[in-house]
Amino acid sequence: VDAAMRYEEAMTRGAQTKLRKDAAGNPIKATCGNKAVTVLKFSPDGKTLLVGVEEGRIHVLQAVDDHTGHDSYHCVKVLTGAHGPHAADVSTIDFNSSGLKMQTTDSHKGLAFWEMVGADGWTRIPQSDFSALGDTIWDDVTGGLGWAMQGIHPESPHVEYGVPKVNLAHHRSEVVAVDDFGKVSLYRYPCLPGANAVSYTGHAGKASHARFTFDDSRVLTAGAADRCIMQWKYKSVHLDKMREVSDPEVKALS
């Protein structure tokens, strides 16, 4: 299971947050003050850990020693104030493939893009430069906002909804989304307005997370209301066609 799924559920107040275990099996810990942790994300190389907390702050943690990898971290910066914090709790953090850019979302449907700029560290990319990010390859996609996720949102402006939680498959052709009504949906990626979905009902009420396993063989979803974790067998119809495998009885999720 993607590490982010396990860590995003950890809500602590004023206490240490368990992150990983070292080679000896001892828990590795870091602190983020007295705010609840809402999301954690490791960079592709494992040397940077971003911790999103309440009120829109993002703590930047770096590995203490490159020789020890990510066995221990220390906080080097807090993205707030002039650096452009979110207006609400940070919901998702996604790195690009090089780890030098990231996109973040918040619970008020705010979307921000960041880049690593020399010794100044992470700085927010102005909206006027968003068009230059069109060809960016993201290492992981968990945020339900942005150009490639337009089709997962209700088209009616009168429908009130929270931002669906999503996850992009490792083959990058399909994305799974869960919503406030407990529905689990599978879309082609990128997902543009008017996109069709294969949808299933599983959770009783709001669903809070969805993750593909490392080999894309399963999808795990977590319910916020029913507190259940469900496992879905996944088989990509799109990939089957590319591999010239034909089976009209196969369902995407079952």
Side-chain angles (χ1 to χ4, degrees), residues 1-12 15-23 25-33 35-43 46-53 59-64 69-75 93:
V1 182
D2 188 314
M5 182 175 183
R6 291 177 289 159
Y7 300 149
E8 285 172 355
E9 296 292 354
M11 300 291 286
T12 65
Q16 292 182 322
T17 304
K18 293 185 179 180
L19 303 176
R20 289 187 173 185
K21 292 186 178 181
D22 60 21
N26 299 314
I28 304 155
K29 299 180 180 180
T31 58
C32 293
K35 299 295 183 181
V37 174
T38 57
V39 61
L40 300 96
K41 198 61 170 281
F42 289 97
S43 62
K47 296 179 180 179
T48 301
L49 172 62
L50 297 183
V51 181
V53 300
H59 296 251
V60 181
L61 283 70
Q62 294 285 353
V64 174
H70 38 246
D71 284 350
S72 57
Y73 289 85
H74 68 286
C75 187
I93 301 173

Side-chain angles (χ1 to χ4, degrees), residues 53-126:
V53 300
E54 287 181 323
E55 300 179 358
R57 295 188 178 189
I58 300 175
H59 296 251
V60 181
L61 283 70
Q62 294 285 353
V64 174
D65 187 344
D66 289 341
H67 297 291
T68 61
H70 38 246
D71 284 350
S72 57
Y73 289 85
H74 68 286
C75 187
V76 296
K77 193 171 188 178
V78 178
L79 302 182
T80 184
H83 300 289
H86 280 281
D89 302 349
V90 181
S91 299
T92 64
I93 301 173
D94 295 318
F95 285 93
N96 74 334
S97 56
S98 68
L100 298 179
K101 288 185 174 65
M102 67 173 174
Q103 58 179 341
T104 59
T105 65
D106 64 44
S107 58
H108 287 182
K109 302 179 184 178
L111 172 65
F113 293 94
W114 311 74
E115 64 180 341
M116 178 69 73
V117 181
D120 293 333
W122 292 102
T123 58
R124 196 163 183 171
I125 298 175

